[in-house]
Amino acid sequence: MSDIFLALEALHQRYRNLWHSEHNSLPVARFDDAWPSACAHQQKKEHASYVYHWQATSRRDTALFSPIEQALECTIHPDIKAYYGSFWADSIPVEHRLADCLLLQIWNEEDQQRLLENQLGHAFARIKGRLPLTFFIACTHSDTNICLDNQTGEIVLERPGYPAQKVLADSLESFLLDCAPCLDDYGA
């Protein structure tokens, strides 16, 4: 079991506990009924959409980034593979001492495909701009993203199309361990 898996699992557990202490239920995600997930445990209709109670569900997709590796003709850092290949889950808001953010997760197969397309577009833009290759893991309330530097494994804060502004952590594991879940909805 990877360190990334364990750190992410612990973060999901802390988020679930925080949500339960405030709402006495599993976390809630709003999606339409055509957006099922292995992590959805209970569904109910609320206005024109559905509310799913969800819980991060383990998966082991080690080949998730293979199409991107083939397209870019490079090796993708194992931490980003472990991060996105470990769970089906909704994204979770977290506070970090250097940048509060929404940690992106994969809800279902369709969401996974969309994520990979966006990661590939991000990578092509980085290559075109002659910038270090990064892969995003989170978004902030501003125009910055939190990304993993593919060469160093560092977690960096960057604006699309620009070099990294700041190193937030020397590894994804240490970044995840420094995050505290919160109940900010990020406009969801």
Side-chain angles (χ1 to χ4, degrees):
M1 201 171 302
S2 81
D3 294 338
I4 300 301
F5 178 89
L6 294 174
L8 192 54
E9 180 180 51
L11 185 58
H12 276 294
Q13 179 66 43
R14 292 192 313 271
Y15 180 68
R16 188 172 58 244
N17 291 345
L18 175 64
W19 186 278
H20 189 270
S21 72
E22 290 290 318
H23 302 284
N24 200 30
S25 72
L26 288 172
V28 171
R30 296 185 187 285
F31 293 110
D32 66 33
D33 63 341
W35 198 251
S37 174
C39 69
H41 288 274
Q42 183 182 11
Q43 170 186 334
K44 65 180 182 177
K45 191 158 187 167
E46 196 173 273
H47 304 293
S49 65
Y50 284 82
V51 173
Y52 292 98
H53 290 274
W54 66 273
Q55 176 171 286
T57 302
S58 176
R59 69 187 196 130
R60 302 296 180 160
D61 190 343
T62 57
L64 177 67
F65 276 79
S66 295
I68 293 179
E69 288 179 315
Q70 291 172 352
L72 299 177
E73 297 178 348
C74 74
T75 301
I76 305 299
H77 198 282
D79 286 358
I80 199 76
K81 294 176 188 179
Y83 177 76
Y84 282 116
S86 292
F87 293 95
W88 296 111
D90 194 19
S91 299
I92 55 175
V94 297
E95 296 170 338
H96 184 271
R97 60 187 167 77
L98 298 174
D100 295 347
C101 61
L102 182 66
L103 287 176
L104 303 174
Q105 296 288 276
I106 298 176
W107 180 257
N108 60 20
E109 294 284 339
E110 187 177 338
D111 192 31
Q112 176 174 293
Q113 185 59 38
R114 193 172 5 188
L115 173 91
L116 292 174
E117 290 168 4
N118 288 335
Q119 290 284 11
L120 190 57
H122 175 83
F124 282 140
R126 302 290 295 172
I127 291 167
K128 184 178 178 182
R130 298 180 185 204
L131 297 166
L133 184 58
T134 61
F135 293 97
F136 55 83
I137 61 164
C139 56
T140 67
H141 283 292
S142 66
D143 64 347
T144 57
N145 294 318
I146 296 176
C147 300
L148 180 135
D149 183 300
N150 195 57
Q151 184 175 358
T152 66
E154 294 174 327
I155 302 304
V156 297
L157 183 67
E158 68 181 32
R159 283 183 44 218
Y162 293 91
Q165 296 172 316
K166 182 187 297 187
V167 174
L168 303 178
D170 64 352
S171 71
L172 181 52
E173 178 190 12
S174 64
F175 179 78
L176 293 172
L177 292 173
D178 284 346
C179 287
C182 63
L183 297 179
D184 187 336
D185 68 2
Y186 276 77

PDB file of all heavy atoms in Angstrom, residues 162-175:
ATOM      1  N   TYR A 162       2.129  30.050 -16.388  1.00  0.00           N
ATOM      2  CA  TYR A 162       3.251  30.705 -15.716  1.00  0.00           C
ATOM      3  C   TYR A 162       4.062  29.684 -14.918  1.00  0.00           C
ATOM      4  O   TYR A 162       3.542  28.650 -14.513  1.00  0.00           O
ATOM      5  CB  TYR A 162       2.745  31.796 -14.760  1.00  0.00           C
ATOM      6  CG  TYR A 162       2.114  32.959 -15.476  1.00  0.00           C
ATOM      7  CD1 TYR A 162       0.752  32.976 -15.741  1.00  0.00           C
ATOM      8  CD2 TYR A 162       2.893  34.029 -15.900  1.00  0.00           C
ATOM      9  CE1 TYR A 162       0.171  34.041 -16.412  1.00  0.00           C
ATOM     10  CE2 TYR A 162       2.317  35.106 -16.560  1.00  0.00           C
ATOM     11  CZ  TYR A 162       0.960  35.099 -16.814  1.00  0.00           C
ATOM     12  OH  TYR A 162       0.387  36.150 -17.488  1.00  0.00           O
ATOM     13  N   PRO A 163       5.324  30.034 -14.640  1.00  0.00           N
ATOM     14  CA  PRO A 163       6.124  29.157 -13.773  1.00  0.00           C
ATOM     15  C   PRO A 163       5.507  29.093 -12.375  1.00  0.00           C
ATOM     16  O   PRO A 163       4.733  29.959 -11.985  1.00  0.00           O
ATOM     17  CB  PRO A 163       7.495  29.852 -13.720  1.00  0.00           C
ATOM     18  CG  PRO A 163       7.513  30.787 -14.878  1.00  0.00           C
ATOM     19  CD  PRO A 163       6.083  31.168 -15.139  1.00  0.00           C
ATOM     20  N   ALA A 164       5.874  28.055 -11.642  1.00  0.00           N
ATOM     21  CA  ALA A 164       5.372  27.900 -10.273  1.00  0.00           C
ATOM     22  C   ALA A 164       5.713  29.141  -9.458  1.00  0.00           C
ATOM     23  O   ALA A 164       6.807  29.690  -9.558  1.00  0.00           O
ATOM     24  CB  ALA A 164       5.980  26.665  -9.634  1.00  0.00           C
ATOM     25  N   GLN A 165       4.750  29.584  -8.642  1.00  0.00           N
ATOM     26  CA  GLN A 165       4.950  30.755  -7.784  1.00  0.00           C
ATOM     27  C   GLN A 165       5.613  30.391  -6.474  1.00  0.00           C
ATOM     28  O   GLN A 165       6.356  31.173  -5.905  1.00  0.00           O
ATOM     29  CB  GLN A 165       3.594  31.406  -7.465  1.00  0.00           C
ATOM     30  CG  GLN A 165       2.879  31.958  -8.663  1.00  0.00           C
ATOM     31  CD  GLN A 165       1.469  32.410  -8.296  1.00  0.00           C
ATOM     32  OE1 GLN A 165       0.734  31.735  -7.594  1.00  0.00           O
ATOM     33  NE2 GLN A 165       1.099  33.587  -8.801  1.00  0.00           N
ATOM     34  N   LYS A 166       5.297  29.193  -5.973  1.00  0.00           N
ATOM     35  CA  LYS A 166       5.758  28.817  -4.641  1.00  0.00           C
ATOM     36  C   LYS A 166       5.724  27.298  -4.498  1.00  0.00           C
ATOM     37  O   LYS A 166       4.806  26.653  -5.002  1.00  0.00           O
ATOM     38  CB  LYS A 166       4.810  29.440  -3.613  1.00  0.00           C
ATOM     39  CG  LYS A 166       5.163  29.205  -2.175  1.00  0.00           C
ATOM     40  CD  LYS A 166       4.088  29.712  -1.220  1.00  0.00           C
ATOM     41  CE  LYS A 166       3.905  31.198  -1.302  1.00  0.00           C
ATOM     42  NZ  LYS A 166       2.998  31.729  -0.291  1.00  0.00           N
ATOM     43  N   VAL A 167       6.698  26.749  -3.803  1.00  0.00           N
ATOM     44  CA  VAL A 167       6.674  25.340  -3.439  1.00  0.00           C
ATOM     45  C   VAL A 167       5.908  25.232  -2.123  1.00  0.00           C
ATOM     46  O   VAL A 167       6.251  25.891  -1.139  1.00  0.00           O
ATOM     47  CB  VAL A 167       8.100  24.762  -3.295  1.00  0.00           C
ATOM     48  CG1 VAL A 167       8.051  23.330  -2.778  1.00  0.00           C
ATOM     49  CG2 VAL A 167       8.850  24.827  -4.622  1.00  0.00           C
ATOM     50  N   LEU A 168       4.859  24.405  -2.117  1.00  0.00           N
ATOM     51  CA  LEU A 168       4.029  24.243  -0.930  1.00  0.00           C
ATOM     52  C   LEU A 168       4.479  23.068  -0.062  1.00  0.00           C
ATOM     53  O   LEU A 168       4.279  23.081   1.145  1.00  0.00           O
ATOM     54  CB  LEU A 168       2.567  24.047  -1.321  1.00  0.00           C
ATOM     55  CG  LEU A 168       1.936  25.154  -2.166  1.00  0.00           C
ATOM     56  CD1 LEU A 168       0.504  24.790  -2.524  1.00  0.00           C
ATOM     57  CD2 LEU A 168       1.982  26.484  -1.426  1.00  0.00           C
ATOM     58  N   ALA A 169       5.048  22.045  -0.698  1.00  0.00           N
ATOM     59  CA  ALA A 169       5.503  20.858   0.034  1.00  0.00           C
ATOM     60  C   ALA A 169       6.520  20.123  -0.825  1.00  0.00           C
ATOM     61  O   ALA A 169       6.476  20.200  -2.057  1.00  0.00           O
ATOM     62  CB  ALA A 169       4.335  19.955   0.365  1.00  0.00           C
ATOM     63  N   ASP A 170       7.402  19.401  -0.172  1.00  0.00           N
ATOM     64  CA  ASP A 170       8.419  18.664  -0.925  1.00  0.00           C
ATOM     65  C   ASP A 170       7.884  17.366  -1.524  1.00  0.00           C
ATOM     66  O   ASP A 170       8.534  16.756  -2.367  1.00  0.00           O
ATOM     67  CB  ASP A 170       9.655  18.402  -0.065  1.00  0.00           C
ATOM     68  CG  ASP A 170       9.375  17.511   1.131  1.00  0.00           C
ATOM     69  OD1 ASP A 170       8.202  17.207   1.401  1.00  0.00           O
ATOM     70  OD2 ASP A 170      10.340  17.112   1.810  1.00  0.00           O
ATOM     71  N   SER A 171       6.673  16.948  -1.112  1.00  0.00           N
ATOM     72  CA  SER A 171       6.067  15.742  -1.674  1.00  0.00           C
ATOM     73  C   SER A 171       4.551  15.819  -1.536  1.00  0.00           C
ATOM     74  O   SER A 171       4.016  16.570  -0.704  1.00  0.00           O
ATOM     75  CB  SER A 171       6.585  14.488  -0.969  1.00  0.00           C
ATOM     76  OG  SER A 171       6.067  14.426   0.349  1.00  0.00           O
ATOM     77  N   LEU A 172       3.877  15.006  -2.310  1.00  0.00           N
ATOM     78  CA  LEU A 172       2.418  14.941  -2.226  1.00  0.00           C
ATOM     79  C   LEU A 172       1.994  14.375  -0.877  1.00  0.00           C
ATOM     80  O   LEU A 172       1.034  14.859  -0.266  1.00  0.00           O
ATOM     81  CB  LEU A 172       1.863  14.102  -3.374  1.00  0.00           C
ATOM     82  CG  LEU A 172       0.350  13.942  -3.449  1.00  0.00           C
ATOM     83  CD1 LEU A 172      -0.374  15.273  -3.407  1.00  0.00           C
ATOM     84  CD2 LEU A 172      -0.028  13.161  -4.696  1.00  0.00           C
ATOM     85  N   GLU A 173       2.696  13.377  -0.398  1.00  0.00           N
ATOM     86  CA  GLU A 173       2.358  12.801   0.902  1.00  0.00           C
ATOM     87  C   GLU A 173       2.416  13.856   2.005  1.00  0.00           C
ATOM     88  O   GLU A 173       1.477  13.996   2.795  1.00  0.00           O
ATOM     89  CB  GLU A 173       3.293  11.647   1.252  1.00  0.00           C
ATOM     90  CG  GLU A 173       2.989  11.063   2.615  1.00  0.00           C
ATOM     91  CD  GLU A 173       4.026  10.074   3.105  1.00  0.00           C
ATOM     92  OE1 GLU A 173       5.117   9.978   2.514  1.00  0.00           O
ATOM     93  OE2 GLU A 173       3.746   9.405   4.114  1.00  0.00           O
ATOM     94  N   SER A 174       3.495  14.626   2.054  1.00  0.00           N
ATOM     95  CA  SER A 174       3.600  15.641   3.106  1.00  0.00           C
ATOM     96  C   SER A 174       2.540  16.726   2.937  1.00  0.00           C
ATOM     97  O   SER A 174       2.004  17.235   3.926  1.00  0.00           O
ATOM     98  CB  SER A 174       5.005  16.237   3.176  1.00  0.00           C
ATOM     99  OG  SER A 174       5.320  16.925   1.997  1.00  0.00           O
ATOM    100  N   PHE A 175       2.194  17.082   1.699  1.00  0.00           N
ATOM    101  CA  PHE A 175       1.126  18.052   1.467  1.00  0.00           C
ATOM    102  C   PHE A 175      -0.195  17.527   2.021  1.00  0.00           C
ATOM    103  O   PHE A 175      -0.904  18.237   2.744  1.00  0.00           O
ATOM    104  CB  PHE A 175       0.997  18.371  -0.027  1.00  0.00           C
ATOM    105  CG  PHE A 175      -0.102  19.341  -0.332  1.00  0.00           C
ATOM    106  CD1 PHE A 175       0.069  20.695  -0.109  1.00  0.00           C
ATOM    107  CD2 PHE A 175      -1.319  18.897  -0.825  1.00  0.00           C
ATOM    108  CE1 PHE A 175      -0.959  21.597  -0.373  1.00  0.00           C
ATOM    109  CE2 PHE A 175      -2.347  19.786  -1.095  1.00  0.00           C
ATOM    110  CZ  PHE A 175      -2.161  21.142  -0.866  1.00  0.00           C
TER     111      PHE A 175
END
